[in-house]
Amino acid sequence: MKPIRTASAESAIKETRMCFTLQHWCLWQSEEPPLVDHWPGGEVLPYNGGSPDVGFLPMMQSRRLSPLARAACAVANHCRQKNGDMPSVFFSSHGESQYYFEMLDGIVAHEDVSPSRFSLCVHNAIAGLSSFHSTSFQPYVSLSGGTEGLFAAFLEAAGMLLEVPKVLVVWYEQPLPDAYRAHLATSETTWALAMVLTRAGNSDQQLRLVRRPDKDLSTAEDTAKSLIQAILENRRSSLCQLDRSIWQWSLDYV
Amino acid sequence: MKDLEIELKQLIIDTLELQGISPLDIASEAPLFDGGLGLDSIDALELGLALKKKYDIHIDTDSTELFNYFASIKNLTRFVVSQQQKIL
């Protein structure tokens, strides 16, 4: 898991490399998963009629969860149940975009803002709820957007793993409100992915990431779509184009 | 008063998304917060907003009686009736 930077004197291109052991993963998405092999070492939670099962929570806790929060809390809980409690990195590019857009619409119409909706729109609300539901006393961070997309979460996890043995990374997205769609890439489904990462080793699944500060790679894929599809189709590598960089990831089964 | 009690129970259920609970499950004298139904401070704010929307009641958040108004359905019913009489 040690980030290694190498610089080429000729091109001054810096590569960043990271490697983790992917100890466990859990995915839920709002469409029926394809009936094909997925990545080993993890689970796709049942579609459950388009709403992930959060029966592990009492009603007074589950009642306020949005569809996005249900998905994130379900996969996070699954990984904590299987792997114990651990520090976590929650990542979403736009978080509760449906809620905060509705709230902005309401403000324009001079309506009062719902206090519970407002509190749940805060970007770290889902991470906080998940921590609360698990009665966890472990630290968590909540990241959004940025030019490195999800890979910012891996950088954060790499930093955490210098001090702790395992980290939970939870990534969750949903379709953006129509008003944003002309300006931003959006997911067409609601989904959440949780990954339990430990330091790189000689066993299990090694998730390798390489970042290059390049642009305009015509073969690169959209990060989210690429990774989720890869998990579901048991594809083990891909290239992802971000604003300022290209990330190459691969899953090697040792 | 009984009709208003049931109406307020339903308002609480709908506003606070109390799934699987019916007005019959909420005792009029039982505490809404601190045990009882188990509502929290965000619920209190949400409920205040719902009362404003439905009954045009503006709640004075500095009032020392605030906790008392929201203590139970019975108290809340009395409060709503008193505020409606003020409006009339």
Side-chain angles (χ1 to χ4, degrees), chain B residues 48-68:
Chain B
L49 189 62
L51 292 172
K52 182 182 167 192
K53 274 186 189 167
K54 190 166 173 81
Y55 302 107
D56 198 24
I57 292 172
H58 293 260
I59 295 166
D60 175 9
T61 51
D62 292 330
S63 168
T64 52
E65 288 296 304
L66 202 57
F67 285 110
N68 201 25

Side-chain angles (χ1 to χ4, degrees), chain B residues 4-33:
Chain B
L4 183 56
E5 275 186 18
I6 293 167
E7 192 173 293
L8 285 169
K9 287 177 185 179
Q10 193 62 53
L11 180 73
I12 287 175
I13 290 166
D14 295 341
T15 305
L16 307 181
E17 301 177 74
L18 304 180
Q19 300 135 2
I21 288 188
S22 83
L24 293 172
D25 298 323
I26 305 174
S28 297
E29 294 81 11
L32 293 174
F33 300 84

Side-chain angles (χ1 to χ4, degrees), chain A residues 59-60 62-65 70 99 111-120, chain B residues 15-21 37-40 42-43 45-46 49 52-53:
Chain A
M59 181 276 285
M60 291 302 275
S62 66
R63 66 193 165 115
R64 288 190 188 135
L65 296 179
R70 287 175 75 95
Y99 271 11
E111 291 171 4
D112 291 311
V113 171
S114 155
S116 63
R117 283 289 171 94
F118 180 82
S119 70
L120 294 172
Chain B
T15 305
L16 307 181
E17 301 177 74
L18 304 180
Q19 300 135 2
I21 288 188
L37 199 53
L39 304 182
D40 60 24
I42 296 280
D43 290 322
L45 293 168
E46 202 68 49
L49 189 62
K52 182 182 167 192
K53 274 186 189 167

Side-chain angles (χ1 to χ4, degrees), chain A residues 147-175:
Chain A
T147 55
E148 300 302 323
L150 169 70
F151 298 101
F154 285 114
L155 287 167
E156 188 72 22
M160 283 182 167
L161 283 172
L162 295 173
E163 296 180 345
V164 298
K166 59 186 171 184
V167 169
L168 176 67
V169 171
V170 185
W171 183 21
Y172 47 99
E173 305 289 358
Q174 66 179 340

